[in-house]
Amino acid sequence: MNKILLIIQREYVSRVKKKSFLLATLLTPLIFPALMGGLIYFAVQEQKSADQKIIEVIDENQLFQFEDSETYRYVDTGLGLEEAKSSMKERNVYGLLYIPKVDITNPQGITFYSAASSSMSFISSLESGLKRKIEDIRLEQSGIDLEALKSVKTAVSIKSISLTEEGVEKASSGMVNYGIGFVSGILIYIFILIYGNQVMQGVIEEKTSRIVEIIVSSVKPFQLMLGKITGVGAVGLTQFLIWVILINTLSIVILGYFGLDGSSAEMMSGQAGASSEAVQALQNSDMGATLEAFFNVNWLQIALLFIFYFLGGFLLYGAFFAAIGSAVDSPSDAQQFMFPVTIPLLVGYFGLFSFVLNDPDSTISFWLSIIPLTSPIVMMGRVGFGVPFWELALSMGLLIAGFLATTWLAGRIYRVGILMHGTKVNYAVLWKWFKVKV
Amino acid sequence: MNILNIQQVSKRYGDHQALSEVSLSVGSNQIFGLLGPNGAGKTTLIRIINQIINPDSGLIEINGEKLQPKHIELIGYLPEERGLYKKMKVLDQLLYLAQLKGLKSSDAKAKIKYWLERFDIVSWKDKKVEDLSKGMAQKIQFVATVMHDPKLIILDEPFSGFDPVNANIIKEEIFRLRDQGATIIFSTHRMESVEQLCDSIAMINKSKVILNGTVKEIRNSYKANLYEVKHKGNLSTLSSDFSIVEAGDGLSEELLTSLIKVPEGTSPNTLLQALLPLVEVHAFEEKIPSVNDIFIAKVQEVAP
């Protein structure tokens, strides 16, 4: 046992002391916000600086009028279609919208000509604009007053309240829960891949430098494997905790800079007795509801579950990565075995986005969050929305059983693999190693 | 007392029988040579003694006790294929390996200091292994093998990769460790170094022990009553009681060397008496086969 601690310590210290670890740990929390900020800044600049694009309209019905926007200006050419088409280039216009004489109940043959192929979003905005126009005209034709119609339109936003078992009402927001699942899922997926790879590299390094035979003359191969996986996992957890602390500190600093601090945010949750009118107003708005939901999330529970699924998932896959590392002589040989290991990870990843976040209680979401190979990524997508206790317990229990199983399985391959050099390894060989008595 | 007793140990890998009913014992305080061609099963046996793998059957005893995890601390092992963590500093590396062998950190530091000073390599302690030359790394590797004062030191092909100067330093260390009470098992397929180093040997071929004993006993048991004679004059008229295995060839006034076989039960004095009237004898010596000769003869004998 003491020796496992020694191994964990070496794996941990040797990685944490690396410059690359320090850089990644300190820079990542800065790079992401900087990158996002940069992108938004450039997008805004782009929109501001871009010239208005001119779009010529030929409307043979003389029915439609288009309102100019910041980016597009609509001009009636007064030319015929063929003429306008041939001289489009010289007049330096972005495009030409041709509306032939149409039956208003079944508009056909509307065409947009442009020099460059135009974006999907622009075409669809044109389509929806035309659709609205035609609808308005048809409403008018059937004798409905447009002004009256406008006056009955209402904006509705639903505030969703989830009832907890204790009967406490809590504001929850799909967006916040979505965000929790989204971020946790991606983080766990990335961590498993990056740190799983580190386990594999570490095993390959020990195998190719031939130190492994000296080590296993002092400790059991299983201890060495477990120590390595645990040590690398601890490095991942350390990195993650530093990120959380750095990001929190940064946000507090930034929020403080903009005059929003934790206490006013607290008041927004409504528990401190909403006093000021501004806060009241905020609370009624969409933004306020989201913020309220944000502060109502049981962050401690989320954090503990995150750490559990993070470690459980890492241990489960880390064992596979260790076994792969032990079987090959170089990282390039590892490719063939990486494939079947990354498949369930990808299934979890895409399952999270295609099914779980949209419908957390569907059957497929349930199974993906129970099966240990996908549950580390998927379950975090469900917990925000509330998961029955027995499902959570089942999922966690199976994950523990799962990583015990994969560790045992991988250990059997590992103990043989690390002492084999220059063998051509395929699945049949792995199976032989698994069965062999050592 | 024997430090190591191996009884009827067998190990099988699939279709390949690596060891079959190997029995041998290694007495304390000696240098023991484990000989055999490549693939004979030496490394398998060594790995079993190191508890890296388990035998399918058989018994191994260390100091009269059944082999168990606590014996790891008694053994120092230098594998044939060896290496160190390339990115780790020499001192950190030795400290880690010593602690894995069960040494306390403070004890380990003292031992490491002793060995680094002994080899005059203290200045390397903060260097990474990847910055050392191959010979330097080999020295560190040797220190890693012996720094915890093992009672049983197992060296698998220890001189491969060493330059002659370093090989000699290591050889001297092996003698010194033996004189201080350690037992050294020394595995090799190169025979030259065996006679000068080993007190006892065992030979393994095709998974079986084919020879086991002290070097002296074995060589004596394989002597074929051959005598080497340096002489001046012609031997052709020698009594047919003796067969001339190899006749010296040359002019009669030159010093010739011949190899003569004396029949079983006849004293060499009889040969000498037969020689004296014929030739002028300059030297007369019994020819005892070298371990290498015996090894080759034994391996060929077993081969089909």
Side-chain angles (χ1 to χ4, degrees):
Chain A
M1 195 58 217
N2 201 12
K3 289 182 181 176
I4 290 198
L5 284 180
L6 273 171
I7 295 166
I8 294 173
Q9 189 191 354
R10 194 202 81 85
E11 297 294 337
Y12 184 82
V13 172
S14 70
R15 286 188 167 75
V16 170
K17 268 161 79 181
K18 271 188 197 159
K19 283 194 193 79
S20 56
F21 174 83
L22 206 69
L23 280 178
T25 309
L26 295 181
L27 290 186
T28 311
L30 300 177
I31 284 174
F32 269 108
L35 217 60
M36 301 263 272
L39 281 177
I40 292 169
Y41 175 79
F42 283 119
V44 169
Q45 284 306 99
E46 180 86 355
Q47 271 198 328
K48 269 192 193 156
S49 67
D51 293 329
Q52 264 190 335
K53 286 175 180 145
I54 297 167
I55 291 165
E56 292 180 338
V57 181
I58 300 173
D59 178 11
E60 299 190 342
N61 309 285
Q62 300 297 332
L63 260 177
F64 303 101
Q65 260 112 48
F66 290 91
E67 284 123 45
D68 296 350
S69 72
E70 261 182 56
T71 36
Y72 298 108
R73 192 152 62 84
Y74 297 89
V75 188
D76 197 348
T77 49
L79 295 168
L81 174 62
E82 291 308 316
E83 214 178 325
K85 253 163 69 181
S86 57
S87 61
M88 218 170 83
K89 263 202 189 118
E90 289 114 65
R91 277 172 293 118
N92 195 24
V93 295
Y94 178 69
L96 171 65
L97 180 66
Y98 173 66
I99 308 170
K101 274 241 180 283
V102 288
D103 174 7
I104 206 78
T105 55
N106 184 23
Q108 295 283 336
I110 300 174
T111 318
F112 182 70
Y113 301 94
S114 66
S117 59
S118 32
S119 73
M120 288 281 285
S121 66
F122 176 67
I123 295 292
S124 67
S125 83
L126 266 183
E127 275 172 356
S128 66
L130 273 170
K131 185 171 157 252
R132 231 177 307 122
K133 288 254 152 53
I134 292 171
E135 279 169 2
D136 283 354
I137 292 166
R138 288 178 62 188
L139 282 169
E140 227 167 351
Q141 281 174 352
S142 51
I144 293 166
D145 182 11
L146 279 183
E147 288 306 310
L149 195 69
K150 252 180 209 156
S151 71
V152 297
K153 273 191 180 159
T154 339
V156 176
S157 125
I158 295 179
K159 185 171 169 186
S160 101
I161 304 228
S162 61
L163 290 170
T164 62
E165 276 160 46
E166 298 86 44
V168 182
E169 288 187 15
K170 265 192 190 166
S172 70
S173 152
M175 210 165 85
V176 171
N177 295 333
Y178 192 97
I180 291 170
F182 181 90
V183 171
S184 310
I186 290 186
L187 273 178
I188 291 178
Y189 173 79
I190 291 176
F191 265 86
I192 288 177
L193 273 185
I194 289 182
Y195 283 94
N197 252 300
Q198 285 212 12
V199 170
M200 192 179 80
Q201 302 284 356
V203 174
I204 293 176
E205 185 207 335
E206 274 170 358
K207 187 181 172 181
T208 51
S209 74
R210 315 278 175 138
I211 182 133
V212 72
E213 189 155 357
I214 295 174
I215 307 275
V216 296
S217 72
S218 302
V219 300
K220 294 259 161 264
F222 191 70
Q223 291 177 306
L224 177 60
M225 186 182 91
L226 219 56
K228 183 174 281 296
I229 295 173
T230 318
V232 173
V235 176
L237 204 59
T238 307
Q239 184 163 59
F240 178 73
L241 289 179
I242 294 176
W243 284 356
V244 167
I245 292 168
L246 276 180
I247 290 173
N248 269 327
T249 319
L250 276 178
S251 338
I252 288 170
V253 168
I254 289 167
L255 283 178
Y257 179 76
F258 288 112
L260 266 163
D261 57 27
S263 64
S264 67
E266 189 82 359
M267 285 198 296
M268 278 176 221
S269 71
Q271 283 156 358
S275 50
S276 77
E277 268 177 51
V279 171
Q280 197 76 51
L282 241 179
Q283 221 176 351
N284 291 336
S285 71
D286 269 359
M287 184 63 189
T290 305
L291 270 177
E292 186 184 341
F294 186 82
F295 286 106
N296 271 338
V297 170
N298 186 347
W299 288 108
L300 182 67
Q301 189 201 3
I302 298 280
L304 289 178
L305 281 175
F306 178 85
I307 289 175
F308 177 85
Y309 279 101
F310 170 82
L311 286 181
F314 174 75
L315 289 174
L316 185 125
Y317 280 97
F320 282 136
F321 281 105
I324 294 173
S326 76
V328 299
D329 287 324
S330 73
S332 56
D333 293 342
Q335 284 311 319
Q336 52 164 329
F337 299 113
M338 291 290 288
F339 187 62
V341 174
T342 31
I343 287 289
L345 269 176
L346 283 172
V347 167
Y349 186 76
F350 287 114
L352 176 71
F353 290 105
S354 349
F355 307 109
V356 181
L357 287 173
N358 297 322
D359 190 359
D361 292 323
S362 65
T363 316
I364 188 157
S365 302
F366 169 79
W367 284 110
L368 284 177
S369 67
I370 293 298
I371 296 168
L373 286 170
T374 50
S375 68
I377 294 169
V378 168
M379 190 47 114
M380 287 310 292
R382 292 187 63 203
V383 289
F385 298 97
V387 179
F389 177 74
W390 71 269
E391 284 185 21
L392 203 57
L394 179 65
S395 165
M396 291 171 89
L398 281 178
L399 183 55
I400 292 173
F403 79 67
L404 290 178
T406 59
T407 310
W408 174 76
L409 187 106
R412 288 189 71 90
I413 291 171
Y414 179 87
R415 76 214 154 119
V416 182
I418 45 169
L419 295 174
M420 294 284 181
H421 292 280
T423 338
K424 192 101 187 70
V425 181
N426 53 36
Y427 290 102
V429 173
L430 289 186
W431 177 240
K432 223 165 79 189
W433 289 358
F434 175 75
K435 286 188 305 179
V436 87
K437 229 171 76 195
V438 166
Chain B
M1 187 168 98
N2 290 333
I3 187 164
L4 180 68
N5 259 323
I6 297 171
Q7 290 165 25
Q8 307 279 314
V9 165
S10 296
K11 178 76 189 174
R12 203 182 169 81
Y13 292 117
D15 302 332
H16 174 64
Q17 188 76 41
L19 292 174
S20 49
E21 307 210 325
V22 166
S23 297
L24 46 92
S25 31
V26 179
S28 298
N29 206 4
Q30 58 163 314
I31 300 176
F32 185 91
L34 188 60
L35 316 179
N38 285 326
K42 292 176 304 218
T43 301
T44 304
L45 183 62
I46 288 173
R47 283 180 176 168
I48 288 174
I49 300 170
N50 274 299
Q51 305 179 58
I52 294 172
I53 51 179
N54 296 313
D56 296 340
S57 61
L59 180 71
I60 293 167
E61 288 176 336
I62 286 199
N63 285 334
E65 290 175 324
K66 193 173 182 298
L67 188 68
Q68 51 195 278
K70 69 165 186 186
H71 291 132
I72 283 170
E73 293 166 23
L74 294 181
I75 302 176
Y77 174 38
L78 183 70
E80 180 179 5
E81 298 283 358
R82 47 193 174 246
L84 297 162
Y85 287 110
K86 292 193 176 65
K87 306 259 177 214
M88 226 172 155
K89 284 177 185 163
V90 169
L91 184 65
D92 294 346
Q93 182 132 232
L94 290 173
L95 200 56
Y96 175 59
L97 294 174
Q99 283 177 296
L100 283 185
K101 277 289 182 190
L103 249 58
K104 274 198 248 108
S105 171
S106 53
D107 295 348
K109 277 179 189 149
K111 302 271 189 215
I112 292 164
K113 185 162 174 279
Y114 166 80
W115 278 100
L116 292 184
E117 277 168 2
R118 180 160 186 87
F119 282 149
D120 201 16
I121 52 178
V122 180
S123 56
W124 301 355
K125 69 179 176 10
D126 288 323
K127 281 194 178 162
K128 283 183 184 168
V129 170
E130 61 185 349
D131 299 330
L132 299 180
S133 73
K134 206 176 166 203
M136 289 156 102
Q138 293 269 25
K139 270 188 185 172
I140 302 292
Q141 197 105 47
F142 185 77
V143 172
T145 311
V146 297
M147 64 188 162
H148 56 291
D149 286 339
K151 289 282 160 286
L152 181 61
I153 300 169
I154 302 175
L155 309 172
D156 200 351
E157 300 287 356
F159 301 120
S160 68
F162 272 110
D163 60 71
V165 177
N166 277 328
N168 217 38
I169 294 175
I170 299 301
K171 218 176 270 178
E172 291 306 315
E173 283 304 320
I174 292 175
F175 284 127
R176 203 179 59 88
L177 287 164
R178 192 241 346 240
D179 296 342
Q180 287 177 350
T183 305
I184 292 108
I185 295 179
F186 164 52
S187 149
T188 186
H189 64 272
R190 291 186 211 166
M191 300 302 143
E192 316 90 66
S193 45
V194 170
E195 264 153 88
Q196 62 170 134
L197 268 174
C198 298
D199 304 310
S200 309
I201 55 169
M203 252 183 223
I204 297 185
N205 188 40
K206 300 202 167 148
S207 83
K208 290 193 176 75
V209 174
I210 52 173
L211 210 58
N212 185 12
T214 67
V215 173
K216 216 185 248 171
E217 279 168 11
I218 288 174
R219 287 184 64 184
N220 281 335
S221 69
Y222 276 82
K223 67 186 178 188
N225 292 330
L226 283 174
Y227 291 84
E228 192 180 81
V229 186
K230 289 201 167 80
H231 57 93
K232 272 184 188 162
N234 202 305
L235 274 179
S236 52
T237 51
L238 185 67
S239 150
S240 60
D241 291 347
F242 310 102
S243 54
I244 301 172
V245 179
E246 230 178 86
D249 195 18
L251 301 167
S252 54
E253 58 272 19
E254 275 182 296
L255 193 60
L256 304 174
T257 307
S258 299
L259 208 56
I260 304 167
K261 189 173 170 63
V262 177
E264 201 69 40
T266 308
S267 156
N269 284 7
T270 323
L271 172 61
L272 206 50
Q273 277 164 354
L275 283 172
L276 288 176
L278 295 176
V279 294
E280 188 182 304
V281 176
H282 284 250
F284 186 83
E285 190 188 18
E286 187 172 10
K287 179 91 176 158
I288 300 173
S290 70
V291 172
N292 197 27
D293 297 337
I294 299 170
F295 179 73
I296 290 168
K298 272 305 236 184
V299 169
Q300 279 168 348
E301 189 182 293
V302 174

